[in-house]
């Protein structure tokens, strides 16, 4: 299993591939080098063989010119007895052996298929003037170099008195020498063994160096990267690689460390986001619960409003009777008497109650929205008449700064009254029943358009930036449970937008807030 894992690893594959290439390359190199060395050695031996035959020819030249056959035979025998020389023979052109290091062959005629004769008889045109050589094996399987070289006719030969050769004869005979290549073969084998040893040592050294390089620069970093991947996969995002090389492995280690850092950061962000999401879900759940409670409370207030409207309508009839009988009673008392003044107080207070109830009924009565030319100052006065006598406003100073030349607007008075009442009551809640509320109306021109602006300024504590962004969201309120529904400003914002206007806010913590209701005027 370990061997299989090693072979399938990157280092194992590299070693196997490079090792195979090195062995194949070394084998090819060894083969060509061995053949080259053998060719060079054989070439040198052939060259030596030709030199040896030249030596034989030159050694026997004097004997041939003086026709001393015994001297020629002795010279052939002497040269044939040298180490590595197997045989030396001189042939006549007829194939007859004239001289030989083996005396038994003298006078015999060699066959035409003999190596010495094959070169002449195989070619057209007679004897060849080019030396030839060949390599064969003897009975002991030893290689033998056969050199055949022609003896050329010289002027000294055909002019000599002892010779009968004519000047037209170019080749006088042949010299054949058989030289043993046993020493050459031994040398080739020794060189082959040496070359093989050199290549094996080279392969061993290269393999050790290659294994060391691959182990230090490939296998170890890859193992560290694999270990790092396993650590990260197991959830250890604090693990980092300590590979400081400046090659691709170092760059890969830096990328790995950067990746783990990013993964750790992303995981932390996911955890924080999950915690935040859980908190947001809890907050939204609580907000939905509060909104549901507020809806229930709003429905309760709506039912209470309908009941209050019915009660107000029922109270309005007795008040009308009180006023009527008060006027009848007033006629019975002379002017200036105490009874007369008391009766006037009864009539005044009854009318006051009737006006309050009439305004309440007008506000609570459900009617279709009808936009018409409306005086904003009148709507504000009716709204203030409803609120002035509330106990919540006894300690509040209501300041009105109405512009008498205020332009008319196209609006539904009852809807505007709803907005103005909500603004005034919110201002009263902001100052907690103590302080002042200033209501200002003015004409305004912006971008060649005319507007009517109503400002509601209170002397409260102001609105924080966090709450300012959510001011007009439905069901958002800073009031305690049971005191506000969070719908007043949202509904008011929708009403004013439906009238083509807008509501803006200016606030400063500790110095109060100003709500601006802007409506387009009917004046061009």
């Amino acid at each position: 299993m370990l061997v299989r894992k090693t072979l399938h690893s990157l280092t194992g594959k590299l070693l196997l591939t490079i090792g195979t290439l090195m062995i194949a390359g070394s084998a090819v190199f060894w083969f060509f080098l061995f053949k080259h060395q053998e060719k060079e050695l054989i070439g040198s031996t052939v060259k030596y063989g030709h030199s040896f035959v030249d030596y034989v020819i030159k050694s026997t030249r004097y004997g041939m010119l003086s026709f001393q056959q015994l001297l020629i035979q002795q010279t052939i025998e002497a040269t044939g007895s040298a180490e590595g020389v197997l045989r030396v023979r001189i042939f006549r052109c007829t194939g007859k052996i004239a001289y030989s290091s083996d005396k038994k062959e003298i006078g015999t005629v060699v066959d035409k298929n003999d190596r010495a004769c094959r070169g002449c008889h195989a070619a057209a045109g007679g004897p060849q003037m080019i030396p030839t050589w060949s390599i064969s094996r003897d009975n002991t399987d030893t290689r033998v170099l056969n050199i055949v070289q022609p003896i050329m006719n010289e002027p000294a030969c055909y002019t000599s008195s002892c010779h009968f050769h004519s000047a037209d004869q170019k080749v006088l005979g042949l010299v054949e020498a058989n030289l043993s290549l046993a020493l050459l073969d031994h040398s080739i084998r020794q060189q082959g063994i040496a070359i093989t040893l050199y290549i094996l040592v080279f392969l061993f050294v290269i393999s050790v160096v290659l294994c060391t390089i691959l182990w230090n620069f490939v296998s170890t970093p890859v193992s560290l990267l694999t270990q790092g991947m396993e650590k990260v996969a197991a959830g250890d995002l604090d693990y980092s690689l300590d590979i400081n090389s400046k090659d691709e492995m170092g760059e890969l280690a830096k990328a790995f460390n950067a990746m783990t850092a990013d993964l750790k950061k992303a995981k932390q962000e996911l955890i924080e986001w999950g915690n935040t999401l859980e908190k947001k879900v809890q907050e939204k759940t609580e907000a939905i619960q509060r909104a549901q409670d507020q809806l229930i409370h709003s429905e309760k207030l709506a039912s209470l409003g309908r009941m209050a409207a019915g009660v107000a309508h029922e109270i309005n009839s007795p008040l009308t009777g009180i006023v009527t009988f008060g006027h009848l009673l007033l006629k019975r008392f002379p002017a200036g008497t105490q009874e007369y003044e008391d009766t006037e107080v009864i009539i005044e207070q009854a009318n006051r109650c009737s006006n309050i109830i009439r305004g309440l009924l007008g506000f609570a009565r459900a009617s279709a929205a009808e936009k018409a030319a409306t005086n904003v100052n009148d709507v504000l006065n009716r709204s203030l008449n409803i609120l002035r006598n509330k106990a919540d406003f006894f300690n509040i100073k209501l300041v009105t700064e109405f512009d008498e030349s205020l332009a008319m607007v196209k609006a539904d008075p009852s809807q505007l009254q709803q907005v103005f009442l909500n603004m005034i009551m919110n201002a009263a809640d902001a100052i907690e029943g103590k302080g002042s509320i200033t209501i200002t109306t003015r004409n305004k021109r912006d971008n060649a358009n005319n507007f009517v602006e109503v400002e509601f300024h209170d002397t409260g504590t102001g609105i924080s930036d966090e709450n300012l962004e959510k001011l007009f969201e439905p069901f958002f309120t800073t009031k305690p449970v049971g005191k506000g529904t969070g719908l007043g400003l949202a509904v008011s914002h929708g009403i004013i937008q439906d009238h083509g206007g807008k509501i803006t806010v200016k606030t400063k913590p500790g110095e109060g807030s100003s709500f601006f209701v802007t409506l387009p005027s009917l004046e061009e």
Side-chain angles (χ1 to χ4, degrees):
M1 189 70 180
L2 180 62
V3 173
R4 182 181 300 177
K5 184 177 180 182
T6 303
L7 290 176
H8 286 117
S9 66
L10 178 61
T11 304
K13 291 179 179 179
L14 287 174
L15 287 174
L16 185 61
T17 303
I18 297 174
T20 303
L21 291 175
M22 288 179 58
I23 292 173
S26 298
V28 172
F29 173 77
W30 177 88
F31 177 78
F32 283 104
L33 180 62
F34 183 80
K35 290 298 180 180
H36 177 74
Q37 287 291 105
E38 183 181 15
K39 183 179 179 181
E40 290 292 325
L41 289 174
I42 290 176
S44 298
T45 303
V46 171
K47 187 177 180 180
Y48 164 75
H50 286 298
S51 299
F52 174 77
V53 172
D54 286 339
Y55 171 75
V56 172
I57 292 173
K58 291 177 180 179
S59 298
T60 59
R61 184 173 183 275
Y62 177 76
M64 288 183 179
L65 292 176
S66 61
F67 197 63
Q68 299 182 34
Q69 295 181 351
L70 181 60
L71 178 61
I72 296 172
Q73 180 61 30
Q74 289 177 347
T75 303
I76 295 298
E77 290 179 1
T79 55
S81 64
E83 183 180 3
V85 179
L86 299 179
R87 184 175 60 185
V88 178
R89 297 187 296 183
I90 297 178
F91 295 86
R92 299 184 187 278
C93 291
T94 59
K96 183 179 180 180
I97 300 174
Y99 306 98
S100 176
S101 58
D102 186 0
K103 293 181 179 181
K104 297 178 181 180
E105 296 180 336
I106 298 174
T108 61
V109 179
V110 297
D111 188 72
K112 292 182 179 180
N113 294 324
D114 190 87
R115 282 191 299 270
C117 300
R118 196 179 301 157
C120 296
H121 293 282
Q128 300 297 308
M129 295 182 291
I130 301 175
T132 61
W133 64 273
S134 63
I135 295 177
S136 61
R137 293 187 179 273
D138 60 8
N139 296 330
T140 61
D141 201 30
T142 301
R143 292 200 300 174
V144 177
L145 174 64
N146 178 259
I147 302 291
V148 178
Q149 188 167 326
I151 301 174
M152 306 305 295
N153 191 7
E154 299 178 3
C157 292
Y158 59 76
T159 58
S160 175
S161 59
C162 63
H163 280 194
F164 54 90
H165 301 297
S166 65
D168 296 333
Q169 188 177 356
K170 295 181 179 181
V171 178
L172 303 180
L174 299 172
V175 177
E176 179 192 29
N178 289 338
L179 305 177
S180 175
L181 297 180
L183 293 176
L184 176 66
D185 291 340
H186 178 72
S187 177
I188 290 175
R189 285 194 296 271
Q190 292 298 110
Q191 287 194 7
I193 294 173
I195 292 173
T196 303
L197 290 176
Y198 293 153
I199 290 178
L200 290 176
V201 172
F202 170 77
L203 286 175
F204 176 76
V205 174
I206 291 298
S207 299
V208 172
V209 174
L210 182 62
C211 289
T212 303
I213 292 174
L214 289 176
W215 178 264
N216 291 328
F217 295 103
V218 178
S219 180
T220 300
V222 169
S223 299
L224 292 176
L225 284 170
T226 304
Q227 182 181 359
M229 289 294 183
E230 293 175 352
K231 293 281 188 181
V232 172
D236 186 7
L237 297 180
D238 292 324
Y239 185 84
S240 62
L241 293 176
D242 187 16
I243 301 177
N244 298 320
S245 60
K246 296 182 180 180
D247 53 9
E248 288 80 359
M249 289 298 179
E251 295 294 328
L252 189 59
K254 291 180 181 178
F256 176 85
N257 293 334
M259 179 193 70
T260 55
D262 292 339
L263 286 175
K264 182 179 179 182
K265 183 179 178 182
K267 181 180 179 181
Q268 189 64 33
E269 289 177 353
L270 284 175
I271 294 174
E272 293 177 356
W273 186 81
N275 295 334
T276 303
L277 181 61
E278 184 178 354
K279 184 178 179 182
K280 291 290 184 182
V281 170
Q282 184 178 359
E283 291 177 355
K284 290 298 180 182
T285 303
E286 295 175 354
I288 292 172
Q289 185 63 42
R290 287 196 302 270
Q292 186 178 4
D293 295 340
Q294 289 167 350
L295 283 173
I296 295 172
H297 184 63
S298 298
E299 183 62 27
K300 187 189 297 183
L301 290 177
S303 300
L304 183 61
R306 289 192 295 269
M307 184 178 65
V311 173
H313 181 73
E314 295 296 329
I315 293 175
N316 192 44
S317 296
L319 286 176
T320 303
I322 292 174
V323 172
T324 302
F325 285 102
H327 281 288
L328 292 175
L329 186 62
L330 190 63
K331 294 179 180 180
R332 295 184 182 184
F333 300 112
T337 62
Q338 184 65 40
E339 291 79 0
Y340 188 88
E341 292 178 359
D342 292 340
T343 303
E344 281 186 338
V345 170
I346 292 172
I347 294 171
E348 181 183 355
Q349 295 301 320
N351 285 327
R352 181 180 175 188
C353 290
S354 181
N355 289 332
I356 293 173
I357 290 172
R358 192 179 300 112
L360 181 61
L361 286 173
F363 175 70
R365 186 179 295 112
S367 58
E370 295 181 1
K371 295 179 182 179
T374 304
N375 190 317
V376 173
N377 289 341
D378 293 342
V379 178
L380 285 170
N381 283 324
R382 288 198 299 271
S383 302
L384 290 172
N385 288 334
I386 295 175
L387 297 174
R388 285 184 198 275
N389 298 295
K390 286 188 65 175
D392 295 342
F393 287 83
F394 287 166
N395 296 320
I396 295 176
K397 182 180 179 182
L398 290 172
V399 180
T400 58
E401 298 177 358
F402 295 165
D403 187 350
E404 297 299 331
S405 62
L406 194 67
M408 302 290 284
V409 298
K410 187 177 181 179
D412 181 0
S414 63
Q415 289 187 351
L416 285 187
Q417 187 177 6
Q418 180 180 351
V419 173
F420 295 158
L421 285 172
N422 184 69
M423 293 293 177
I424 296 171
M425 288 189 292
N426 283 345
D429 291 336
I431 61 178
E432 298 179 352
K434 296 178 182 180
S436 65
I437 300 174
T438 303
I439 304 172
T440 306
T441 61
R442 62 178 69 92
N443 291 313
K444 185 178 179 182
R445 187 172 181 83
D446 187 12
N447 295 330
N449 295 318
N450 294 320
F451 296 92
V452 171
E453 185 177 76
V454 183
E455 178 183 357
F456 299 88
H457 177 73
D458 63 69
T459 58
T461 57
I463 305 170
S464 64
D465 293 338
E466 180 182 358
N467 293 333
L468 194 63
E469 297 177 356
K470 301 180 282 186
L471 204 58
F472 296 103
E473 293 181 5
F475 304 113
F476 173 75
T477 180
T478 58
K479 299 175 184 178
V481 177
K483 193 171 182 181
T485 64
L487 293 171
L489 282 176
V491 173
S492 299
H493 187 263
I495 291 173
I496 297 302
Q497 276 191 331
D498 185 58
H499 283 72
K502 62 181 179 179
I503 300 177
T504 56
V505 185
K506 289 184 180 180
T507 183
K508 193 172 184 180
E511 296 184 7
S513 304
S514 292
F515 283 78
F516 298 88
V517 178
T518 305
L519 294 167
S521 68
L522 292 177
E523 294 183 359
E524 297 295 334

